[in-house]
Amino acid sequence: MTTQSHPVDHELVAAAAEVARTRCRGDNHTMAAAARADDGRIITAVNAYHFTGGPCAEMVVIGAAAAQGAYQLDTIVAVGDRDRGVVPPCGRCRQVLLEYFPAIKVVVGQGDRVRAVPVTDLLPESYVWADHQVEGD
């Protein structure tokens, strides 16, 4: 697999890092996410950890974006609390991002290796639910 890198949206990474630093408190909120809408807005959110699974920050930011009328996201990043830096999305988030926004770029990597890659590079040979649905008669 060849990973295609795109320019990193450093403003987006900084927005997520600021939310992680200022809004993540205790065990309930440990990750922040920021997404760039196609109109240029930055939407931020935090996870809602719970022993039942709770939504990841990436899932919360998708809902927050929709609540603000932003239905197309261009780039997304998650940043951990306690200065953990950029954290790649879990498998469930990768699948949802692929389904909702097949062209979205995801910021991954640490330090000077941070890069933005297409979600398809994070989930090669992926299952796309819509591709396997039976068409109505």
Side-chain angles (χ1 to χ4, degrees):
M1 174 182 75
T2 303
T3 300
Q4 176 187 4
S5 283
H6 297 271
V8 173
D9 186 337
H10 292 287
E11 182 182 21
L12 192 66
V13 176
E18 175 68 9
V19 170
R21 187 180 65 73
T22 61
R23 301 292 182 240
C24 289
R25 305 240 189 261
D27 294 337
N28 293 332
H29 309 292
T30 59
M31 295 289 298
R36 172 89 56 191
D38 64 349
D39 64 6
R41 285 183 288 164
I42 293 177
I43 290 84
T44 60
V46 298
N47 70 320
Y49 179 79
H50 190 263
F51 76 89
T52 61
C56 296
E58 295 93 335
M59 298 300 96
V60 179
V61 87
I62 289 171
Q68 295 175 44
Y71 297 101
Q72 290 299 318
L73 301 180
D74 179 69
T75 307
I76 192 166
V77 64
V79 173
D81 66 349
R82 300 181 320 271
D83 295 319
R84 289 183 290 146
V86 172
V87 177
C90 72
R92 180 180 66 169
C93 289
R94 291 175 193 213
Q95 184 69 40
V96 172
L97 289 168
L98 175 72
E99 298 277 342
Y100 275 55
F101 313 105
I104 197 167
K105 294 175 289 298
V106 182
V107 178
V108 296
Q110 288 289 315
D112 62 352
R113 296 188 57 217
V114 72
R115 62 199 183 284
V117 299
V119 70
T120 52
D121 283 4
L122 298 180
L123 206 56
E125 299 186 44
S126 58
Y127 174 84
V128 178
W129 183 81
D131 291 347
H132 298 279
Q133 300 309 298
V134 177
E135 293 291 325
D137 293 320

